[in-house]
Amino acid sequence: MKLKKIVWMFALVLLVVGLAACSGDKEEGDNNDAAGDKDKGKQTTLKVAALESAYGADMWNKIAESYEAANENVKIELTLKKNLEEVIRPNMQAGEYPDAVLLATGRPEALTETLIKENGLEDISDVFEGKVYGEDINVKDKMLSGFTNTLATNPYADGKTYLAPMFYSPTGLFYNAGLLEEKGWEVPKTWDEMWELGEKAQAEGISLFTYPTTGYFDTFIGSMLYAAGGTDFFNSAMTYEDGIWESKEATKVFETVEKLKDYTEKNTVANANPNDFTKNQQLILDNKALFMPNGTWVAGEMAEAPRAENFEWAMMPMPAFEEGGDRYAFTFFEQMWIPAAAKNKDAAKEFISYMYSDEAAEIFLEAGAIQPVNGIIDQLEGQNKTFYSVYESEGALPAMGTFASTKPVPGVNMGDTLYGSIDSVMSGKISYKEWQANVEAASDKLRDAMN
């Protein structure tokens, strides 16, 4: 009897332990399922702010829709505005930051530059080392070469990337190919040939040159700096090397721009402002001027404008300074970045990686925005294919980069000094030597302020 009781008690213990184990397994499984369901159902609201440019807002709505379909854990909250800075700056000052922002440098409000100077951008180098969202390829291997090692993406020259290149566009001198063909005029390849053509055109009441606003000289002068001294010289200028703007290479650039004033359409300076710049662009369509600096977006911008018979957009790289010299076409691109104070940085990085996917590139392409990814040129047609093939068809070399970031220096703005002074040069108010001296003085003040 005692033995039976012991056996029975032992069996009871085994039963309790077994039930407890089963209960533990079930509880653990329930917890895992619950955690999985919780993670699956948890959504991150990713705040994306993008400039509504000539490409329109619809492409961003499509991007948000396609990304949400691919990543069910993310809900995109879009802010799309033509005056994006005015909308997001007050919120940022109040501590409410977007998670990802599409806003390039070089805009009058200089919001992106302000964040750079204040070390307010997140390091996104790991985005380019990682996979494109939804694809089995690293972002860096998907992109065209050279886009993530310039001061336009690595503003502190520290080997780290803070701005993602988006929507690239070759820039150059735009003209009416139909007019040159009609007149039997050759497209100039050197500045000497430009001046010769300028004389021929003036004899027929046509100006050689115009420009939308002085801001368009950023890529114009950038290409000239490359042509005058090559990559190392350009980088020295962008990093404020002592005496660089007084060098013989820089002097060639300043002299050439001043000489252009003798060939520039007379109303250009008066109309070179944000309200009237299209009047200067119209000069090309009306055959009143031959060349203007611009980017591939100008064709869309002037799509509804009247034009001369047989008008055909064409673009050439910057003329060389000597026969057989290198010619450059500066590559402009917009930038996407993550504020250092953003709440959802990891989700924002995944979203940026998706910008280089085939799916996203196709959506952007439909709107005319060209991502810097391999194989994109093969997908272009007609006029766009002609523009983007300038490096192949014209033998142009690509030029990229911008000024190194500096801490704020009161009263000093290199963009205003270098580009903003050009109206005064063109109207004869200051000489190229005065302009050159002012640029060197600004460079001297910024050198020690580099971040």
Side-chain angles (χ1 to χ4, degrees), residues 228 233 243-255 436:
F233 173 74
I244 196 70
W245 293 102
E246 298 172 323
S247 65
K248 64 180 182 179
E249 292 88 354
T251 298
K252 282 196 294 188
V253 174
F254 288 115
E255 286 179 330
Q436 183 177 28

Side-chain angles (χ1 to χ4, degrees), residues 29 49 68 123 138 148 186 205 219 221 223 290 294 310-311 370 372 380 418 423 438 446:
E68 287 174 350
D123 176 8
N138 288 340
T148 56
E186 295 289 329
T219 56
I221 288 179
S223 293
L290 290 184
N294 222 305
N310 297 324
F311 183 88
I370 315 301
L380 303 181
L418 181 56
D423 280 343
N438 291 339
L446 293 170

Side-chain angles (χ1 to χ4, degrees), residues 47-108:
K47 297 181 178 180
V48 177
L51 180 72
E52 184 183 340
S53 62
Y55 302 126
D58 189 49
M59 70 177 187
W60 284 109
N61 292 320
K62 291 180 178 178
I63 286 290
E65 182 180 342
S66 65
Y67 188 67
E68 287 174 350
N71 188 344
E72 61 183 9
N73 291 332
V74 171
K75 173 69 177 175
I76 303 293
E77 182 180 299
L78 281 175
T79 299
L80 304 173
K81 296 290 182 181
K82 294 180 180 178
N83 60 336
L84 186 65
E85 296 94 335
E86 296 176 22
V87 174
I88 66 174
R89 189 192 295 271
N91 294 335
M92 291 167 65
Q93 290 171 340
E96 298 178 12
Y97 286 80
D99 296 307
V101 183
L102 186 285
L103 186 67
T105 54
R107 287 177 56 77

Side-chain angles (χ1 to χ4, degrees), residues 180 218 285 325 349 401:
L180 268 65
D218 56 356
L285 282 79
K349 288 180 178 181

Side-chain angles (χ1 to χ4, degrees), residues 103-114:
L103 186 67
T105 54
R107 287 177 56 77
E109 296 83 357
L111 177 60
T112 303
E113 286 88 341
T114 298

Side-chain angles (χ1 to χ4, degrees), residues 9-23:
M9 288 181 67
F10 182 68
L12 181 62
V13 169
L14 289 178
L15 178 62
V16 171
V17 172
L19 288 173
C22 291
S23 175

